Amino acid sequence: MSIKYTPEPFRIKMVEMIKMTTPQERLQKIKDANFNLFSLASEDVYIDLLTDSGTGAMSHEQWSAMFVGDEAYAGGRSYRKLLKAGTDVFGYDYIQPVHQGRAAEKILMPLLLGKGKFAISNMHFDTTRAHVILSGGRPIDNIVPEGKKPNIRSKFKGNMDITRLEELIEEKGAENIGVIIQTITNNSAGGQPVSMKNMREVYEIGQKHNITVCIDAARFAENAYFIKRDEEEFKNWSIPDIVKKTFSYGDVFTMSAKKDFNVNMGGMLAVKDKSVNAALIQNIKASCINFEGFYTYGGLSGRDLEAMAVGIYQYMEEDYLAYRIGQMEYLAARLDAAGVVYQSPVGGHGVYIDAKAMFPHIPYKEFPGQVLAVELYKEAGIRSCDIGSYMIGNDPDTNEQIESEFEFTRLAIPRQVYTQSHFDVMADALIAIKERASEIKRGYKIKWEPPILRHFQAELEPIE
Ligand code: F0G
């Protein structure tokens, strides 16, 4: 059976050379990095799939817009251009640029949460989880049951579990829920989409109990593509119309623009209704001035704001989105043919390999997702990351290792960067590792770890 690769809707105008290392070199490099892929030098990586965040190739329209950036400290022209685009696309009254997604979280979470308060999400991304905890609150993940089963192919596996959401509000008391967060797409569950129906239902529950609904909107355009493809009611809608509708089911949004605006740096924090949330907007501006910079630049250069204002529109193009999701589907199809298990059907920005299925004999405390990530580097110089127990870390109250719902190794795909032959390298490497998986007997233990977001910095050693 031939597996089809969706052709690129662009041509290449600038390139960056990359080089392959030898297996011996890679063994030494990963050892020197304490088996933490974040500690590798990027020149020692052949295909870098650590993240799709800020790693894309921008369009020539974005690059050229950067030359007309207004670098004024206050009231810049580029800021107003971004505001105009942001309010046009998302329909929100107040748009605050910030330097990246976690800056929006850092500003917003303390304004909504505190000691004794809970955040309920279809799944918190790791920085979101960290900012909920840092604000004194506690994160609760609440994804639909099928989302937890990589083998079950069903649509919108990123959805919030509605029944459980009502129960949680009842159990904890509505006054103790500081925020409900819909992460679109659901990154930690495999870039899985959230349906419009689920967005609507969650928003109605938020309204009924007077709880703020926040959209963590990093991959809003990819999510809209899945809604158009898989939700009957929207099959004839344009992507921009789907996006506008999606955002109508939130009160605020935080966004890392490094994903679906395809910029190297940038983020947003936005409030839908300025008449209802005037005080919140004042507090956001004040925090932004403290942490990020004056509220008309939010820690960014004027040129970054320009690239964002172009990217907002550009990556909602359907040909682009079909090609983008098509890349994931190509890799997934090659894995299907070889029996490599991944979160299926494949999501928006990467392929999440089920490391638990590949290494059933390695327990969560030895981090199977990290085992596969290290093997991928050794095998082919591919850098990926663990999205599992190694990433999730320890319980903030008991300090015990949390067992993650998943043990994934994520191959996150940068936008407009890699070609079909790179995808074949990825598939071949995964298949080769699967063939020798039973020879890899043990995982890793932690030599040193920081108290929060440990996977970025921890030092590991193999268990002999
Ligand atoms: N929310 C989601 C859903 C994300 O995926 C990310 C980042 C953030 C928030 C934080 O944004 O990095 O701009 O500060 N995700 C990247 C990733 C890092 O690799 O998945 P940021």
Side-chain angles (χ1 to χ4, degrees):
M1 186 187 72
S2 80
I3 300 167
K4 195 156 163 22
Y5 182 89
T6 311
E8 287 82 1
F10 55 81
R11 55 186 170 184
I12 296 167
K13 171 174 303 199
M14 190 188 279
V15 296
E16 177 183 358
M17 302 308 282
I18 50 178
K19 77 171 198 303
M20 188 53 135
T21 44
T22 66
Q24 291 74 15
E25 282 170 335
R26 292 196 293 276
L27 266 180
Q28 191 57 47
K29 303 276 184 204
I30 194 68
K31 212 167 145 198
D32 294 346
N34 289 301
F35 301 92
N36 184 332
L37 293 119
F38 289 92
S39 301
L40 289 171
S42 75
E43 309 88 280
D44 296 329
V45 172
Y46 177 57
I47 299 180
D48 203 345
L49 310 178
L50 193 56
T51 180
D52 64 317
S53 180
T55 53
M58 289 199 294
S59 64
H60 64 182
E61 287 87 354
Q62 286 178 294
W63 278 110
S64 58
M66 291 179 80
F67 284 93
V68 295
D70 178 354
E71 306 300 345
Y73 189 93
R77 183 177 63 239
S78 305
Y79 165 70
R80 289 198 309 279
K81 192 160 157 191
L82 180 65
L83 281 193
K84 193 159 169 283
T87 44
D88 172 36
V89 169
F90 303 114
Y92 277 38
D93 288 341
Y94 184 71
I95 304 259
Q96 174 62 64
V98 289
H99 86 274
Q100 63 183 89
R102 70 198 69 182
E105 295 163 355
K106 181 182 179 191
I107 292 170
L108 185 67
M109 294 311 161
L111 299 175
L112 299 177
L113 292 162
K115 211 167 157 38
K117 300 265 188 190
F118 295 91
I120 305 174
S121 176
N122 56 340
M123 249 184 160
H124 297 81
F125 178 66
D126 54 356
T127 60
T128 323
R129 169 183 300 280
H131 282 294
V132 168
I133 294 172
L134 287 169
S135 75
R138 289 292 176 262
I140 302 174
D141 287 335
N142 179 39
I143 186 175
V144 287
E146 62 272 25
K148 297 178 192 169
K149 301 192 182 77
N151 251 328
I152 294 184
R153 290 188 188 226
S154 72
K155 289 172 184 169
F156 300 109
K157 284 169 83 173
N159 281 353
M160 179 89 74
D161 184 333
I162 297 290
T163 315
R164 184 74 190 125
L165 177 62
E166 294 269 30
E167 285 168 9
L168 282 166
I169 294 171
E170 181 72 30
E171 275 169 34
K172 308 284 183 199
E175 66 286 4
N176 296 319
I177 313 294
V179 61
I180 299 172
I181 304 169
Q182 280 279 52
T183 309
I184 63 169
T185 58
N186 190 327
N187 183 3
S188 307
Q192 291 293 315
V194 175
S195 70
M196 191 74 85
K197 177 166 181 283
N198 194 252
M199 293 298 297
R200 183 163 55 230
E201 288 172 352
V202 166
Y203 192 60
E204 281 166 7
I205 292 172
Q207 296 243 293
K208 185 168 88 186
H209 295 282
N210 201 18
I211 303 170
T212 302
V213 174
C214 174
I215 304 175
D216 179 352
R219 299 177 182 88
F220 71 98
E222 289 167 10
N223 200 75
Y225 179 83
F226 286 109
I227 289 176
K228 183 174 171 84
R229 194 188 71 181
D230 293 338
E231 208 168 347
E232 183 60 28
E233 190 188 338
F234 297 98
K235 73 170 195 273
N236 296 320
W237 285 45
S238 72
I239 298 288
D241 286 347
I242 293 175
V243 166
K244 183 75 77 46
K245 187 85 181 157
T246 305
F247 281 79
S248 74
Y249 299 127
D251 300 304
V252 292
F253 74 75
T254 55
M255 179 190 285
S256 170
K258 299 167 72 174
K259 284 79 169 177
D260 276 359
F261 290 5
N262 198 19
V263 290
N264 299 124
M265 194 53 70
M268 275 184 174
L269 170 51
V271 179
K272 188 166 69 187
D273 191 336
K274 66 174 181 238
S275 59
V276 181
N277 281 310
L280 181 65
I281 293 171
Q282 283 309 330
N283 289 332
I284 288 172
K285 281 186 176 171
S287 282
C288 184
I289 293 170
N290 284 336
F291 296 137
E292 287 284 285
F294 193 64
Y295 62 81
T296 64
Y297 71 88
L300 293 164
S301 302
R303 55 181 170 274
D304 297 324
L305 303 176
E306 292 281 341
M308 282 167 69
V310 175
I312 289 186
Y313 293 104
Q314 213 159 33
Y315 301 99
M316 290 194 290
E317 286 290 332
E318 261 178 66
D319 282 352
Y320 159 77
L321 287 167
Y323 142 79
R324 166 106 180 123
I325 308 301
Q327 284 190 313
M328 316 301 149
E329 287 169 340
Y330 175 77
L331 179 54
R334 284 216 49 202
L335 299 181
D336 282 338
V340 175
V341 184
Y342 60 92
Q343 174 64 298
S344 61
V346 80
H349 65 287
V351 178
Y352 289 54
I353 310 300
D354 185 354
K356 221 191 280 191
M358 190 166 308
F359 305 111
H361 52 285
I362 299 181
Y364 74 92
K365 287 188 173 174
E366 296 182 15
F367 315 130
Q370 183 67 8
V371 172
L372 179 54
V374 172
E375 290 306 315
L376 267 171
Y377 179 68
K378 288 200 256 175
E379 180 72 32
I382 295 170
R383 174 153 71 171
S384 58
C385 74
D386 170 282
I387 301 264
S389 296
Y390 172 54
M391 179 188 88
I392 213 161
N394 301 319
D395 184 297
D397 297 316
T398 65
N399 215 28
E400 284 286 308
Q401 171 68 51
I402 302 170
E403 179 172 6
S404 171
E405 294 284 2
F406 310 106
E407 302 296 344
F408 286 138
T409 303
R410 181 181 79 167
L411 282 66
I413 310 299
R415 292 167 180 77
Q416 310 185 139
V417 171
Y418 293 114
T419 62
Q420 180 172 8
S421 40
H422 292 118
F423 280 81
D424 285 328
V425 174
M426 299 171 206
D428 292 345
L430 284 163
I431 294 163
I433 296 166
K434 178 175 186 267
E435 276 161 16
R436 58 178 173 80
S438 63
E439 294 160 27
I440 301 160
K441 303 278 186 227
R442 300 290 304 265
Y444 292 89
K445 67 172 180 236
I446 291 187
K447 275 200 298 191
W448 173 83
E449 63 184 308
I452 205 155
L453 290 174
R454 70 149 178 230
H455 57 297
F456 291 119
Q457 295 189 75
E459 296 176 0
L460 302 167
E461 67 187 356
I463 299 171
E464 298 305 338

